[in-house]
Amino acid sequence: MTDNTSIALQRIAPSQTTAMTDRATALKAEGRDIISLSVGEPDFATPPHVIAAAKAAMDAGDTKYTPVGGTAALKKAAALHFARDLGIEVPVSQVTISAGGKQAIFHALLATLDPGDEVLIPAPWWVSYPEIVRFAGAEVVKLPTDAAGGFRITAAQLEQAITPRTRWLLLNSPGNPTGATYPAEELQAIGEVLARHPRVLVMSDDIYAPIRYSGGAHATLAVEYPGIADRVLTVSGVSKSHAMTGFRIGVVAGPRWLIQAMEKLQSHSSGNPSSVSQAGAVAAFEGPQDFLLDWRERFRTRRDLVVGGINAIPGLSSPVPDGAFYCMVDAAPLMSRFGNDEALALQLLEHGVAIVPASAFGGADGFRISFAADDAQLAEAVRRIAAAVA
Ligand code: GLU
């Protein structure tokens, strides 16, 4: 059949995290018993003070366009969040708001990439990073990592990969899909390399910063290596931390020229983030944060349940992730039986568990489990996975 879509669109594949989740939802609607561990979405209810703020905004008539880059109230609340939670002190002029972190990443890359530019992405990576880069007409340069190295790139590896065409490095800590979390000294070493290459911009995707298990302060590049802070774009939001995925609000802090460029593009794409969602996000950033401690402990219990369960299944293994709510399961010993990780994912779906194959993330021979589900479901999912591969 003729493909009537653009050459740019033909370069990319649909998001496999959302595709697998839609598939699990469709099977459930048909009456199948499916435990969906495919999407990265906290199962906790959105905090009541956030819901109340969103309702109050609607009642007050905040249902119209807002400024392109977000309301003054949310920019102020986001600046507070960057300073308090990430240690990044920026004026509101260096903050912008988008419809989810994903849209901010999309706009930042589209606003800066030209054909022939190279973008360095540590792999396993979040599904959408390489697709957005390809859509923009630039080249993906994969920086492989492995479980033995904590799924983190090294400064030496970065130095070797940089060329005169390198435009961006995409860093994600804690990372999706591995939970990899960069300590301060490794970010400082990475910053030292980047200081020698002034053309390279850095995306620091810190959306999972509140979900860390090892204790200690969150380390982020703009703080650890201030010498390059004027070319670091830090991405954050409320989706993961405040269980507000459906609100679609992402916040970024970065150099003024880049913020302006992103807003220029946003003025022609969505126009502005949802007014009601922005009111909810103000309450999220300015309201109580103490529930996060409880959520983090519940995630920790779930992580230990899933990782312990997986490591007890012959042929499967998973390191213990330091952050976020994903674990990356290695199933290489089973590949002689299943062929590849997509076939294994289908087998698991047949047994009632939806996960995402590692190949969707630029990995291989394994799968990602999102453990943002309740304990009983997770325990049952581990039982089904064991049965599926037995
Ligand atoms: N970021 C989450 C995930 O990786 C949500 C789905 C998506 O946008 O990819 O599952």
Side-chain angles (χ1 to χ4, degrees), residues 145-166:
T145 68
D146 58 22
F151 292 115
R152 302 191 300 273
I153 57 161
T154 63
Q157 187 182 9
L158 173 65
E159 179 80 72
Q160 256 199 336
I162 294 176
T163 76
R165 299 197 304 171
T166 307

Side-chain angles (χ1 to χ4, degrees), residues 15 17-18 38-40 102 126-128 176 208 240 326 368:
S15 162
T17 48
T18 53
S38 50
V39 76
K102 194 181 281 194
W126 175 52
V127 278
S128 293
N176 175 5
Y208 295 99
K240 315 293 181 181
Y326 307 107
R368 183 191 79 172

Side-chain angles (χ1 to χ4, degrees), residues 57 62-75 78 95-101 103-104 107 238 244 246-252 262-263 265-282 285:
D62 286 348
T63 53
K64 306 289 172 63
Y65 294 131
T66 76
V68 169
T71 60
L74 182 52
K75 284 196 171 186
V95 170
T96 192
I97 317 296
S98 57
Q103 191 190 36
H107 286 166
V238 287
M244 291 171 64
F247 280 72
R248 307 312 302 132
I249 291 292
V251 301
V252 295
M262 293 167 67
E263 292 187 355
L265 194 49
Q266 184 153 297
S267 75
H268 292 295
S269 61
S270 56
N272 62 260
S274 148
S275 58
V276 175
S277 295
Q278 289 187 69
V282 172
F285 287 137

Side-chain angles (χ1 to χ4, degrees), residues 83-125:
R84 179 192 61 203
D85 303 324
L86 302 177
I88 300 174
E89 303 276 352
V90 278
V92 288
S93 61
Q94 286 182 233
V95 170
T96 192
I97 317 296
S98 57
K102 194 181 281 194
Q103 191 190 36
I105 296 167
F106 203 90
H107 286 166
L109 294 175
L110 254 69
T112 50
L113 286 173
D114 286 311
D117 283 342
E118 294 172 350
V119 178
L120 307 178
I121 320 181
W125 50 44

Side-chain angles (χ1 to χ4, degrees), residues 175-326:
N176 175 5
T178 63
T181 305
Y182 285 80
E185 58 279 11
E186 289 183 21
L187 290 177
Q188 289 154 10
I190 285 171
E192 258 171 49
V193 172
L194 293 164
R196 292 194 284 276
H197 300 279
R199 182 174 186 260
V200 183
L201 304 168
V202 191
M203 176 111 48
S204 178
D205 183 347
D206 290 27
I207 192 100
Y208 295 99
I211 307 159
R212 297 184 325 278
Y213 304 106
S214 306
H218 170 67
T220 192
L221 188 62
V223 175
E224 296 307 329
Y225 205 91
I228 59 158
D230 63 350
R231 47 196 165 99
V232 176
L233 185 76
T234 307
V235 180
S236 187
V238 287
S239 295
K240 315 293 181 181
S241 57
H242 291 70
M244 291 171 64
T245 46
F247 280 72
R248 307 312 302 132
I249 291 292
V251 301
V252 295
R256 180 79 191 122
W257 70 267
L258 183 52
I259 296 295
Q260 281 173 333
M262 293 167 67
E263 292 187 355
K264 180 174 169 185
L265 194 49
Q266 184 153 297
S267 75
H268 292 295
S269 61
S270 56
N272 62 260
S274 148
S275 58
V276 175
S277 295
Q278 289 187 69
V282 172
F285 287 137
E286 291 186 348
Q289 308 291 314
D290 47 339
F291 66 91
L292 293 174
L293 293 173
D294 172 51
W295 286 11
R296 189 186 309 156
E297 287 318 302
R298 286 162 73 186
F299 278 133
R300 184 198 301 279
T301 305
R302 295 162 170 196
R303 174 194 70 167
D304 294 344
L305 187 162
V306 170
V307 172
I310 289 293
N311 283 323
I313 300 173
L316 298 182
S317 60
S318 169
V320 182
D322 278 347
F325 36 68
Y326 307 107

